[in-house]
Amino acid sequence: MVATRPPTLQDVADRSGVSRGTASRALSGGGRVSAETRARVAAVAAELNFTTNSAARNLRRARAGSIGLWLPQGLRFMDYYMNFTFGVVEATNDRELTVSLIPGDFPPERARSLHVDGFVMADVDSQDTLARAILTTGKPVVTSELVPPGMPEPTASVMADHAAATRLLLDRLRDGGAASIVVLIPDIDQMWVQAVHEAAAAWSEEQAVELSFLPLVGVPSATELRRIVDGLMAARPDVDAIVCVPDGLGVGILSTLQELGHAVPDDIQIVSYVDGATLPIVQPPISALDLRPREAGRRAGDLLVSLLEGAPPAAEAGAVATIVETFDLAYHERGSTRQRGDAAGR
């Protein structure tokens, strides 16, 4: 019996009518290769039963074949970060890159030893020493949202337009008749929170609508949330709209208000800054912003992959981010807010 050798990349290239380099880029998902050529090369590779040797390729490129994912400690359970993670994984699926979640208790002094090619980071907190250490590793770092002042700058960032989204949300509440708004806002030093705070304060001054902030530390329990709402309504009986900025609290705010005898939205309108799977199915369904976490994760992952494939120079501590991508958010009007016509009839 005559032994047959396994197919090589050159075999795939010859059968596809392209160069070896083009075949390699087509199969790895990198470089500028047309969709038609990429599909033809993939079909030939499948026909020949050719499989790429990612370990060998990474060795030749001195690559780890993995990217590190950093998420805020204590908040990883939230729907937003789970969907963000799915987006990052989707961005690397066809690039032969694995995604490694960085443990929150990983020693900051060992950040440079992490065997990854680069990092994606979500909502960097200025108080997190591991986040600061990762930003100074010298490896490419893409952050979702900008980093707070005083933190080392990443290689690149993707960010949502929180100022425009906040104004849109508050405009809808005003159109529904809101005259006294309270914003429940997390007490954390993240740039998206600062953007929401600044935009809401500016909107209140411009529109001459009363608006105040109630900072929340951590994630309150049901008992703590009841105490918070009790205290709010006792101190501000004129409140007719609540903006819930932290993820996952909208349903708790709704049920607490209903237990206290307040009708939503007739007495008090509620809107959540972060949409979630439960918000459309409660009664009334809660109006919310879609922060598009999966899209944010995918964009961050795609941007890091493009930096890695472009072989950028190692990022230096203190360097200014050279790339910033922005994207818009979507507002979903539901039953917890009043329409303009409803407000006029009150």
Side-chain angles (χ1 to χ4, degrees):
M1 180 179 293
V2 179
T4 59
R5 64 175 177 81
T8 66
L9 180 62
Q10 189 63 56
D11 294 332
V12 175
D14 292 343
R15 180 77 66 88
S16 303
V18 298
S19 68
R20 190 174 187 277
T22 298
S24 175
R25 290 191 294 273
L27 293 173
S28 68
R32 295 183 177 180
V33 180
S34 70
E36 179 182 356
T37 298
R38 202 180 298 277
R40 184 170 74 253
V41 172
V44 170
E47 179 184 345
L48 296 178
N49 291 320
F50 173 79
T51 57
T52 58
N53 188 335
S54 59
R57 182 165 55 253
N58 287 330
L59 183 62
R60 290 194 300 272
R61 297 177 179 177
R63 292 262 292 268
S66 179
I67 64 173
L69 174 62
W70 179 92
L71 301 175
Q73 193 169 3
L75 302 177
R76 300 179 176 198
F77 66 92
M78 292 182 171
D79 284 348
Y80 178 90
Y81 294 113
M82 287 190 287
N83 282 290
F84 180 87
T85 300
F86 294 150
V88 175
V89 171
E90 287 173 358
T92 60
N93 269 346
D94 61 349
R95 307 301 178 92
E96 295 184 353
L97 284 168
T98 60
V99 178
S100 301
L101 182 62
I102 309 301
D105 59 355
F106 191 85
E109 64 273 14
R110 292 179 53 201
R112 290 179 182 271
S113 71
L114 286 165
H115 190 54
V116 296
D117 298 310
F119 299 89
V120 170
M121 306 178 72
D123 298 338
V124 171
D125 187 326
S126 66
Q127 305 303 313
D128 195 291
T129 55
L130 176 57
R132 180 178 293 274
I134 288 173
L135 287 163
T136 60
T137 58
K139 296 178 180 179
V141 178
V142 176
T143 63
S144 176
E145 303 302 333
L146 303 178
V147 300
M151 292 290 279
E153 289 288 345
T155 314
S157 298
V158 297
M159 58 178 291
D161 190 346
H162 291 282
T166 299
R167 289 177 173 274
L168 171 62
L169 180 153
L170 293 172
D171 283 343
R172 297 298 179 87
L173 288 176
R174 180 203 55 201
D175 291 345
S180 180
I181 303 173
V182 171
V183 179
L184 305 181
I185 196 160
D187 187 17
I188 50 178
D189 189 13
Q190 294 176 343
M191 291 303 289
W192 74 273
V193 176
Q194 180 178 325
V196 172
H197 192 290
E198 292 177 352
W203 178 90
S204 174
E205 183 175 354
E206 294 166 7
Q207 301 297 325
V209 175
E210 185 177 356
L211 182 147
S212 60
F213 297 94
L214 179 59
L216 297 179
V217 179
V219 181
S221 65
T223 301
E224 291 169 336
L225 193 59
R226 173 63 182 257
R227 178 180 53 79
I228 291 169
V229 175
D230 273 337
L232 169 63
M233 300 312 300
R236 295 282 307 278
D238 61 331
V239 168
D240 57 12
I242 296 176
V243 178
C244 185
V245 177
D247 188 3
L249 295 188
V251 174
I253 295 293
L254 172 64
S255 60
T256 301
L257 286 174
Q258 291 173 332
E259 289 172 7
L260 293 173
H262 299 287
V264 178
D266 294 340
D267 299 333
I268 301 177
Q269 300 183 79
I270 299 177
V271 64
S272 174
Y273 196 83
V274 184
D275 205 357
T278 60
L279 301 189
I281 61 176
V282 294
Q283 289 298 324
I286 299 175
S287 299
L289 277 175
D290 179 2
L291 299 188
R292 303 172 65 197
R294 203 159 187 147
E295 174 70 7
R298 186 189 62 76
R299 284 174 176 258
D302 281 342
L303 187 49
L304 179 59
V305 168
S306 69
L307 291 170
L308 293 174
E309 291 179 346
E316 297 180 358
V320 176
T322 56
I323 303 173
V324 177
E325 290 187 4
T326 60
F327 62 97
D328 295 328
L329 304 178
Y331 177 70
H332 298 302
E333 187 88 53
R334 299 185 181 120
S336 67
T337 49
R338 296 189 296 264
Q339 305 294 320
R340 183 189 297 270
D342 297 336
R346 281 171 55 83

